[in-house]
Amino acid sequence: MKSFLKFVFLICLFLNLFSKIKSFDENLDPQRSTGIYIGGTFSSLTREPNLEIGNIARWDVEKSEWSFLRNSNKSLISGVDAQVRAIVSFPKLEIINDNISEVVFIGGDFKTSLEQPSINISLIAIWNQTQQSFYSFPNSGGGLFGQFVSSLLVFKNNYLFIGGSFNSTFDNLINFQNLAIWNIQQSNWESLIIPSEIQFDEPILKIDYDRWGNVWLITAHKLIRFNFEQNQWENVIDNKINYVSGGTIMTIAIDQSRLWLLIGGSFTSLHTSDSQIITISGGVLRYIIDPSLPPRWSVIGSGTLSQPSATMRTIAVHSIINYNSIFYIGGSFSVNNPIKRYALAQYDEFTSSWVNVPGASLDQPQHLVNSLIGTPNNWTSIFFGGSFANPKPFWTNNILSWESRSAGCVDAKGGVNGIVQTVTVTSTEVIYPPKNFWNAFTISLIAVAGSLTVIFILSTISCLVAKFSN
């Protein structure tokens, strides 16, 4: 009898411990935040015109529905009071009350939240999706003083690079020249020592980085390399040595595997320091950034992009991404391979040309794509936003997703009324507070102590019964 009781309770003890450890392991499974944020100059959803959404909205990929940046679900207004130009996800997410804390930085021309006008969020703000609230940046400082923020980049999970057209913090305590760096962990501004030959005399439009710790910044006529740790600056394209003509630079992308830097825009040629003239002619400019190779400029897809129409003569590339080792571009252009389509293309390495994205039939010359973003591989989607009304057969406005597996587009419930300037996907990395582990550990210890106590009591009773029975 005594041996049987011990065996039963040891089994119970094992099952209890296994369930606690298993529940802890389940908490460690990757969790995803499935938000796609879009920003621009739009005021409402196409199918809900009476609900003011104020230039920014969130698309839930799993639920296939829109959510709004507002504090109360009863409010008919949300978002901010002016254009949103840049959105970037906070590098890590934290589990709070079993919910993922989703935080994004937002930049643009705005001054305040439409729902909470007392909050001063000049040009830059923080949105906490879990708490459903805007916060002034940094540390209730009110934001920045100037015209706009057009680019945001989180570098090494700690440094927030902010580019645009601004000259100081909102309280005028710290001066900038269109570029600022915020240390997220230490909650302070980084001091920048910029040599005199580096001049940010134009707004910073886009920022990207490579694997060697270089941050790349573009303005309308410049490409600047900045090695953050060594504080080294270099004018790669400027107004004097290497310079573009016929238009402006609009976008940048880094291919981390092939070690290419790509820039696009409306410019037609690059004049290099060795007196070469590289004609773009309907392509994208490529720069070799592999330190083991000499730096070299070339064009990819030359001559395969055309003007949208006879009256729309400018070819312009507004966005470039490298998704699953394929380059995609968006902008204002036409592609004639295999049939004529507009504003969206992918690069075919076998033919060295830009071709149509299968199933993404933007079929009007006035269609424009401003921003592209690739989602995590298990979604296999590219979201693109811009200015396009009802491309057949989708009947949606200004925002679509393209599924690479099915080679077709998915309607975002009618889209938005207005122009989409930027699209971003929220981070998927999760921080688990130590309390989750210690809770599981403590519960397990209690279970062990309780089970052993029960075994001891029952064993004692069994012994006493056996003694008195004799």
Side-chain angles (χ1 to χ4, degrees), residues 8-258:
V8 169
F9 279 97
L10 283 172
I11 292 295
C12 292
L13 173 62
F14 171 78
L15 291 175
N16 184 280
L17 285 172
F18 178 77
S19 66
K20 301 305 178 186
I21 295 172
K22 185 174 183 297
S23 66
F24 175 56
D25 287 341
E26 287 174 347
N27 281 339
L28 288 178
D29 287 343
Q31 297 195 30
R32 294 198 178 277
S33 177
T34 55
I36 301 292
Y37 286 83
I38 66 170
T41 52
F42 48 84
S43 58
S44 63
L45 297 178
T46 302
R47 298 179 185 174
E48 295 183 56
N50 295 325
L51 182 63
E52 186 174 3
I53 59 175
N55 307 301
I56 188 168
R58 180 183 183 274
W59 175 257
D60 191 304
V61 175
E62 293 180 346
K63 297 180 180 179
S64 295
E65 64 183 21
W66 291 103
S67 61
F68 313 108
L69 279 63
R70 59 187 178 184
N71 188 255
S72 171
N73 290 330
K74 298 180 180 180
S75 176
L76 294 178
I77 58 174
S78 65
V80 293
D81 64 342
Q83 179 178 3
V84 172
R85 297 174 183 254
I87 307 170
V88 67
S89 174
F90 193 76
K92 296 179 185 295
L93 302 174
E94 183 176 357
I95 298 296
I96 299 177
N97 297 328
D98 296 325
N99 294 315
I100 295 178
S101 177
E102 180 180 292
V103 177
V104 292
F105 297 101
I106 302 166
D109 306 43
F110 51 83
K111 302 295 182 183
T112 188
S113 158
L114 289 177
E115 186 189 27
Q116 301 167 288
S118 60
I119 300 177
N120 190 358
I121 51 173
S122 178
L123 311 187
I124 187 168
I126 297 173
W127 169 257
N128 188 307
Q129 174 67 16
T130 306
Q131 299 176 6
Q132 293 285 291
S133 184
F134 283 103
Y135 293 92
S136 182
F137 176 88
N139 301 334
S140 302
L144 300 170
F145 183 79
Q147 293 180 297
F148 56 81
V149 167
S150 50
S151 186
L152 297 168
L153 170 73
V154 175
F155 180 62
K156 293 190 173 181
N157 284 342
N158 185 48
Y159 301 98
L160 177 65
F161 278 71
I162 306 167
S165 177
F166 53 87
N167 49 39
S168 71
T169 54
F170 191 77
D171 53 17
N172 288 316
L173 294 179
I174 302 177
N175 294 324
F176 304 113
Q177 189 185 13
N178 298 333
L179 174 66
I181 304 174
W182 176 257
N183 188 312
I184 297 172
Q185 293 181 2
Q186 297 181 11
S187 295
N188 58 24
W189 295 106
E190 290 288 318
S191 298
L192 286 175
I193 303 175
I194 303 176
S196 58
E197 63 269 20
I198 303 294
Q199 295 292 322
F200 292 112
D201 49 2
E202 296 177 317
I204 295 173
L205 303 178
K206 301 287 183 182
I207 309 173
D208 208 337
Y209 67 94
D210 64 33
R211 63 168 71 174
W212 296 284
N214 295 308
V215 176
W216 298 82
L217 310 97
I218 62 167
T219 72
H221 297 93
K222 294 182 179 182
L223 171 63
I224 296 172
R225 182 188 66 86
F226 170 46
N227 188 288
F228 180 72
E229 293 184 353
Q230 299 176 13
N231 194 44
Q232 293 179 344
W233 298 82
E234 178 188 4
N235 282 317
V236 181
I237 296 177
D238 58 19
N239 295 322
K240 299 175 182 178
I241 303 174
N242 296 322
Y243 65 93
V244 295
S245 63
T248 62
I249 303 170
M250 294 181 173
T251 189
I252 182 175
I254 306 290
D255 184 338
Q256 305 287 3
S257 59
R258 284 174 281 201

Side-chain angles (χ1 to χ4, degrees), residues 214-342:
N214 295 308
V215 176
W216 298 82
L217 310 97
I218 62 167
T219 72
H221 297 93
K222 294 182 179 182
L223 171 63
I224 296 172
R225 182 188 66 86
F226 170 46
N227 188 288
F228 180 72
E229 293 184 353
Q230 299 176 13
N231 194 44
Q232 293 179 344
W233 298 82
E234 178 188 4
N235 282 317
V236 181
I237 296 177
D238 58 19
N239 295 322
K240 299 175 182 178
I241 303 174
N242 296 322
Y243 65 93
V244 295
S245 63
T248 62
I249 303 170
M250 294 181 173
T251 189
I252 182 175
I254 306 290
D255 184 338
Q256 305 287 3
S257 59
R258 284 174 281 201
L259 308 180
W260 294 352
L261 178 147
L262 304 183
I263 61 172
S266 61
F267 57 92
T268 58
S269 61
L270 171 70
H271 301 249
T272 65
S273 57
D274 55 0
S275 301
Q276 293 186 51
I277 300 177
I278 299 175
T279 303
I280 308 305
S281 183
V284 170
L285 202 56
R286 172 178 56 189
Y287 185 60
I288 304 298
I289 59 173
D290 186 343
S292 65
L293 299 173
R296 181 171 58 88
W297 290 101
S298 60
V299 181
I300 64 172
S302 179
T304 56
L305 300 178
S306 304
Q307 61 193 38
S309 68
T311 58
M312 301 172 63
R313 293 183 171 274
T314 301
I315 300 171
V317 176
H318 291 229
S319 182
I320 308 171
I321 63 168
N322 177 15
Y323 186 65
N324 290 339
S325 300
I326 299 175
F327 290 114
Y328 296 85
I329 59 173
S332 175
F333 49 79
S334 66
V335 187
N336 298 316
N337 187 357
I339 59 176
K340 195 165 189 176
R341 287 292 181 260
Y342 302 90

Side-chain angles (χ1 to χ4, degrees), residues 353-378:
S353 61
W354 296 104
V355 300
N356 292 331
V357 176
S361 55
L362 298 180
D363 55 3
Q364 298 297 318
Q366 67 272 21
H367 286 164
L368 170 68
V369 171
N370 287 319
S371 183
L372 300 164
I373 189 70
T375 59
N377 288 335
N378 65 320

